[in-house]
Amino acid sequence: RGKMLTPVAVRKRGGEAVVTPESEGAAKKAKGAWRSAMSVFRRFSPGLGHDGRGLYGTLTDNSVKRVLGRHELVGRTHLDVGAADGKVMLGALALGVARSYGVEIAGGALATKFQAMKRLLGEAIASPRAELRCETDITGLDASDIEGWLGEVFGDESERIVVTAVWHGFTVAAKECLLSALARSRRVTTFSLVGPMRKDYGRADDVLNFLSRFDAHCNWLHDDDATLAGGEHYRALTFQFYPTRADALADDGAALASTAHFHADMP
């Protein structure tokens, strides 16, 4: 269970590279963006529950930041599955994603609310593309992987994707649909799943065992506390994909070819 990473900057002192905390100006800017995002969300409270199917709490500010802090976000595309009214999406926008998308099974009023929050946040920080698509049941999508979902629902073709899901309200079928899409994806780098440990796929080993059926190569990185606004305590499990065996063999082959070429050129 690693520690949260603090952004750093590298500067030269004499002939040495010295690693220091990021510039004060950049740190203040990042902190200001986060405060703006959470302030906007509070202005549209209550954030508890859906206006459609289900009644589930939203993560606290600190829990959202803890979950998102486990990912490399700057310049990446973020997908939040089961996004409710978009709090995690707002946090991702504040932390520098290139795009943030959300899918939610509940009614369209949540998308209207999110667009209003996004417009307000855009007055405080430069806000990239973000869209919440409601009345979207992932088990009914035609595409079988995450990049396919982005293309089918949003017309997006992103390369580097980070996925989050607060999935305590998911059915088993929806959980397995998400895990299957993650396992088949080639552009997802990291993902986090938030829910109770004692429910289906609430433990890291259960998730890894399911992914292994698809020969997906994945590491479990972190197990964090996650608290809902109503006080419920869940686990936030974060995972990272690593190259497949075919990719590794290709890399090894390229390395061997390079070595053979090197030795052939030696006198």
Side-chain angles (χ1 to χ4, degrees), residues 8 40 129 135 154 165 186 218 229 244 253:
V8 296
V40 164
R129 180 181 176 185
E135 299 177 342
F154 303 103
R186 293 295 176 265
C218 187
T244 65

Side-chain angles (χ1 to χ4, degrees), residues 24-25 45 49 68 78 89 111 115 117 137 153 173 184 188 193 204 216 223 229 236 261 264 267:
E24 184 177 352
S45 288
L68 291 174
H78 167 244
M89 296 172 64
Q115 288 305 314
M117 291 191 293
D137 184 346
V153 180
R184 294 186 176 103
V188 174
L193 307 170
D223 180 351
H261 179 73

Side-chain angles (χ1 to χ4, degrees), residues 228-248:
L228 302 187
E232 300 94 331
H233 293 278
Y234 290 151
R235 308 308 305 169
L237 305 176
T238 301
F239 302 84
Q240 179 181 41
F241 286 109
Y242 60 93
T244 65
R245 180 177 298 177
D247 294 331

Side-chain angles (χ1 to χ4, degrees), residues 74-262:
V74 176
R76 305 212 172 186
T77 293
H78 167 244
L79 174 65
D80 193 27
V81 183
D85 47 6
K87 184 175 185 178
V88 177
M89 296 172 64
L90 289 179
L93 291 173
L95 294 177
V97 297
R99 305 173 187 85
S100 186
Y101 300 112
V103 291
E104 170 58 46
I105 198 171
L110 292 176
T112 303
K113 174 182 178 180
F114 177 76
Q115 288 305 314
M117 291 191 293
K118 180 178 177 294
R119 283 194 297 271
L120 189 57
L121 181 61
E123 298 174 4
I125 66 172
S127 185
R129 180 181 176 185
E131 183 179 351
L132 173 59
R133 189 67 61 87
C134 291
E135 299 177 342
T136 302
D137 184 346
I138 58 174
T139 64
L141 295 177
D142 293 328
S144 61
D145 55 30
I146 298 297
E147 46 267 38
W149 288 4
L150 288 175
E152 181 177 344
V153 180
F154 303 103
D156 187 277
E157 298 182 354
S158 294
E159 290 296 326
R160 297 180 300 168
I161 305 166
V162 171
V163 177
T164 55
V166 183
W167 70 350
H168 54 295
F170 285 29
T171 64
V172 174
K175 288 183 176 182
E176 292 184 348
C177 179
L178 173 57
L179 291 175
S180 298
L182 287 165
R184 294 186 176 103
S185 297
R186 293 295 176 265
R187 300 178 189 173
V188 174
T189 56
T190 52
F191 64 96
S192 289
L193 307 170
V194 182
M197 185 173 64
R198 296 185 183 278
K199 289 291 185 73
D200 299 282
Y201 303 106
R203 299 176 184 273
D205 286 346
D206 298 334
V207 173
L208 292 173
N209 286 338
F210 185 93
L211 296 176
S212 69
R213 302 179 196 172
F214 298 81
D215 198 28
H217 297 251
C218 187
N219 285 329
W220 168 35
L221 296 181
H222 304 288
D223 180 351
D224 295 304
D225 293 321
T227 306
L228 302 187
E232 300 94 331
H233 293 278
Y234 290 151
R235 308 308 305 169
L237 305 176
T238 301
F239 302 84
Q240 179 181 41
F241 286 109
Y242 60 93
T244 65
R245 180 177 298 177
D247 294 331
L249 290 173
D251 291 342
D252 290 344
L256 287 172
S258 176
T259 302
H261 179 73
F262 172 76

